[in-house]
Amino acid sequence: MPKTIKLLISLIVAAGLIFLLARSFNFSDFATLFYKVNWFYILFAFLFYLLVNLVRSWRFNLLLGNSVMFRDVASISFIHNFLVSLLPFRTGELSYAYLLKKYRGVSISTGLGTLFLARFFDILIVANLVILAVFFVSQERLPKEIAVMALALAIVALPLSLVLIFFTGFLIKAFSFLFRTRLFFSSAQDSLSNISAIFLSVREKAYFLKLFFLSFLIWLLNFGVGVFLFRSLSFDFNFLETVFIFSLPMIVSEFSPIQSFANLGLYEWSLVGGLVIFGISRDMAAQSSILIHGIELIFSLLLGLVGFLFLYVAKRNY
């Protein structure tokens, strides 16, 4: 399917979802909800959000072998985070490798390799957290059979994750070897070899432990943002319940074949689904999801502007 048609279909679907959401939207009730927001918790949510992105920058800096100044990595990471949250189909991910190449001369293959490895750790850690959350949530909210399945998955998931981390580099290297033909560009082979080398580097114990610790910290802080956002709306969800609820929009944003700008519509409805499971009325869930998504977009915009200003100033000084 051509990208233009796919984007058009996504926008139409998003518009339909927003229309359905608007039917549950009452401006008077939304205004009441807005005025009841505890801005003290919003401030803590933003501080945690800032910490998340600083630790992400620290991890990128580690992946790049500390070859780029932390200030520059943080600036690029802030801009990258904003574009990922704004652009459809996660096309904003490409901005990381592009900005590293443009402003600091880091090769595209190195940029992509470090990004892939970071995302690999993210997916595996989040998957384990979500399985754990499903196990505890299913005790009261979901059928008991789901709890048994979640426990079985949890037992298998962690060791499988470690195996995947340690052997993905070899798989990429093998993939590169298989395509060493005249039909496959030598530059593409070099890129795969570079990415493979980055993945193979995690086999060093100290390096792996640092990456694992930083990745785990990122997601503890990230879901902590969600806890504070819920607290600001007087929702008293614990950490694992928050992981369960916020995992639904994350899964949608990662795997949905239909997405729009800022994932409007799909994000709200997936968040509504999680809130409704915990007994929140659909109208309240709809209005809360709009407010939470709006706050998150403002957070990413603020850091994106900070990243742009720092990168602009750094460029003028070089």
Side-chain angles (χ1 to χ4, degrees):
M1 181 183 295
K3 292 182 179 179
T4 304
I5 296 177
K6 190 174 182 180
L7 178 59
L8 181 60
I9 293 173
S10 297
L11 293 174
I12 292 172
V13 172
L17 291 172
I18 292 170
F19 173 75
L20 292 174
L21 197 67
R23 295 182 64 181
S24 301
F25 187 84
N26 183 290
F27 283 99
S28 177
D29 292 341
F30 185 78
T32 301
L33 178 66
F34 182 82
Y35 285 120
K36 287 184 177 180
V37 168
N38 188 325
W39 296 101
F40 180 75
Y41 283 120
I42 296 295
L43 175 61
F44 268 97
F46 180 71
L47 290 175
F48 266 55
Y49 188 81
L50 176 60
L51 285 173
V52 167
N53 285 277
L54 287 174
V55 178
R56 275 182 178 150
S57 303
W58 183 6
R59 184 177 64 177
F60 278 136
N61 201 38
L62 178 65
L63 288 166
L64 291 167
N66 299 312
S67 60
V68 181
M69 289 181 61
F70 178 79
R71 178 195 61 191
D72 297 336
V73 175
S75 300
I76 290 170
S77 180
F78 288 177
I79 297 170
H80 165 248
N81 178 68
F82 168 65
L83 293 176
V84 168
S85 66
L86 178 66
L87 299 178
F89 303 106
R90 301 191 67 83
T91 50
E93 292 280 21
L94 300 176
S95 65
Y96 169 75
Y98 170 78
L99 291 171
L100 279 175
K101 173 67 175 177
K102 181 177 181 180
Y103 290 100
R104 293 297 169 261
V106 177
S107 69
I108 293 293
S109 61
T110 298
L112 290 177
T114 55
L115 178 64
F116 289 162
L117 184 55
R119 288 292 177 257
F120 200 68
F121 269 85
D122 287 340
I123 290 171
L124 295 178
I125 287 173
V126 171
N128 282 280
L129 283 174
V130 169
I131 291 170
L132 189 64
V134 170
F135 171 70
F136 282 99
V137 169
S138 60
Q139 303 295 309
E140 296 181 0
R141 304 286 177 176
L142 300 171
K144 299 298 181 182
E145 292 79 7
I146 295 180
V148 175
M149 292 175 59
L151 180 61
L153 284 173
I155 294 171
V156 174
L158 183 58
L160 180 60
S161 298
L162 298 178
V163 169
L164 285 172
I165 288 172
F166 273 84
F167 288 96
T168 297
F170 286 115
L171 293 176
I172 296 174
K173 195 172 184 179
F175 180 79
S176 176
F177 176 79
L178 289 174
F179 281 88
R180 286 180 182 174
T181 66
R182 293 180 182 178
L183 298 177
F184 200 67
F185 298 107
S186 59
S187 60
Q189 293 176 17
D190 293 340
S191 295
L192 282 173
S193 297
N194 197 359
I195 293 172
S196 173
I198 292 170
F199 269 79
L200 286 170
S201 65
V202 302
R203 293 171 62 82
E204 298 176 17
K205 183 179 178 181
Y207 189 58
F208 170 81
L209 291 176
K210 287 179 182 178
L211 283 176
F212 185 85
F213 170 75
L214 291 176
S215 300
F216 189 66
L217 181 58
I218 284 168
W219 287 102
L220 285 181
L221 292 170
N222 212 2
F223 286 117
V225 173
V227 171
F228 283 119
L229 288 175
F230 282 149
R231 290 289 193 276
S232 72
L233 299 176
S234 301
F235 294 149
D236 192 25
F237 300 127
N238 63 37
F239 180 78
L240 286 176
E241 289 171 341
T242 301
V243 170
F244 178 84
I245 296 170
F246 270 102
S247 67
L248 298 179
M250 288 173 53
I251 292 170
V252 168
S253 65
E254 288 287 346
F255 300 109
S256 174
I258 297 175
Q259 296 184 16
S260 64
F261 289 96
N263 215 14
L264 291 172
L266 286 171
Y267 183 97
E268 284 81 4
W269 273 111
S270 54
L271 193 57
V272 167
L275 290 170
V276 168
I277 288 175
F278 284 86
I280 307 300
S281 69
R282 196 184 74 168
D283 290 352
M284 174 60 75
Q287 293 169 30
S288 299
S289 68
I290 292 171
L291 186 56
I292 287 173
H293 196 190
I295 291 171
E296 289 179 329
L297 289 175
I298 291 172
F299 284 177
S300 65
L301 172 61
L302 289 175
L303 287 192
L305 290 173
V306 170
F308 173 79
L309 289 174
F310 272 69
L311 202 60
Y312 177 76
V313 171
K315 181 182 177 183
R316 289 179 64 91
N317 290 337
Y318 277 107

